[in-house]
Amino acid sequence: KQEVTQIPAALSVPEGENLVLNCSFTDSAIYNLQWFRQDPGKGLTSLLLIQSSQREQTSGRLNASLDKSSGRSTLYIAASQPGDSATYLCAVRNYGQNFVFGPGTRLSVLP
Amino acid sequence: DGGITQSPKYLFRKEGQNVTLSCEQNLNHDAMYWYRQDPGQGLRLIYYSQIVNDFQKGDIAEGYSVSREKKESFPLTVTSAQKNPTAFYLCASSIGGAAEAFFGQGTRLTVV
């Protein structure tokens, strides 16, 4: 059974720092992996989707990488801003299965 | 504007009552999903539907029911059999079962 973990559980950084959020999964036979952002009391906003054949995806200041063999994905946020403060969730989908979500990393970017 | 609309935003349920949460999408997506989110836990799948008139149980379907009579609508009923229904409920959709998923803004259900 696929299990997804995210480290750290919470992170607080000063504005302007580059930072990395980690997502690990136990079953490497994944179909794709999706990163989401969730603001307090809100739904999830899709950030990046990486297919199993891809190594990374980029959108603006965000870059997500995927290493299937080691069961890891990282979300890199460049030049962080207070508006980036939110909870970041990764979700992993195996072939023929539904998404399995990690517990999230709660990010605070301090002005 | 294309998107997923969940209503109501807040819902209060008395003990023993059934309540229905609405989820509507105008993205022309075939697949729709219901998740439950509790503090400190990841999202857990309640029910999903890959096509109209068909749906499957997820990991925590007990105490819940759904219908999929129209492509754009996937309502979730929380029945009195669900012993701990207080949670944040999220609806999602995707073009197909393996495609990028998009979420609504959620419904917070509280038992009073």
Side-chain angles (χ1 to χ4, degrees):
Chain A
K1 181 185 173 185
Q2 179 71 272
E3 292 182 4
V4 181
T5 56
Q6 292 186 246
I7 294 174
L11 182 63
S12 184
V13 300
E15 182 177 4
E17 275 204 6
N18 302 325
L19 55 98
V20 173
L21 307 180
N22 296 292
C23 172
S24 297
F25 45 93
T26 54
D27 184 349
S28 62
I30 68 168
Y31 186 80
N32 56 33
L33 182 149
Q34 192 166 354
W35 281 94
F36 296 89
R37 167 190 173 133
Q38 185 176 30
D39 294 289
K42 304 290 186 182
L44 277 62
T45 300
S46 178
L47 297 174
L48 291 162
L49 174 72
I50 309 178
Q51 302 294 347
S52 61
S53 58
Q54 298 175 315
R55 299 281 295 193
E56 64 179 306
Q57 281 278 29
T58 298
S59 176
R61 295 182 294 108
L62 305 179
N63 176 276
S65 67
L66 174 64
D67 184 346
K68 280 199 314 178
S69 61
S70 65
R72 297 167 79 172
S73 176
T74 60
L75 180 67
Y76 176 83
I77 302 177
S80 58
Q81 304 170 358
D84 294 330
S85 297
T87 296
Y88 290 80
L89 297 151
C90 72
V92 175
R93 180 185 271 132
N94 287 75
Y95 290 91
Q97 304 293 318
N98 290 297
F99 273 128
V100 175
F101 282 82
T105 293
R106 189 171 66 254
L107 173 66
S108 296
V109 181
L110 307 174
Chain B
D1 269 323
I4 303 171
T5 301
Q6 290 187 241
S7 62
K9 188 174 182 180
Y10 299 98
L11 187 57
F12 297 90
R13 191 193 95 167
K14 293 182 180 179
E15 295 282 352
Q17 267 187 341
N18 293 351
V19 291
T20 298
L21 284 59
S22 172
C23 178
E24 303 275 332
Q25 54 98 0
N26 61 4
L27 301 168
N28 200 33
H29 285 174
D30 286 313
M32 297 187 73
Y33 311 83
W34 275 106
Y35 290 90
R36 170 179 173 143
Q37 187 176 36
D38 294 283
Q41 295 193 36
L43 276 69
R44 292 181 291 168
L45 182 64
I46 305 173
Y47 267 99
Y48 64 100
S49 169
Q50 304 280 25
I51 197 169
V52 175
N53 292 322
D54 186 52
F55 49 83
Q56 306 294 329
K57 292 182 179 179
D59 300 321
I60 56 165
E62 185 175 351
Y64 300 98
S65 66
V66 294
S67 63
R68 186 84 187 278
E69 297 176 1
K70 298 185 296 182
K71 187 176 185 177
E72 59 270 24
S73 179
F74 192 39
L76 173 73
T77 296
V78 185
T79 75
S80 57
Q82 172 48 240
K83 297 307 177 188
N84 184 25
T86 295
F88 191 51
Y89 290 86
L90 289 158
C91 178
S93 72
S94 62
I95 291 175
E100 185 176 9
F102 296 90
F103 281 77
Q105 289 300 298
T107 293
R108 185 165 300 281
L109 173 63
T110 304
V111 174
V112 297

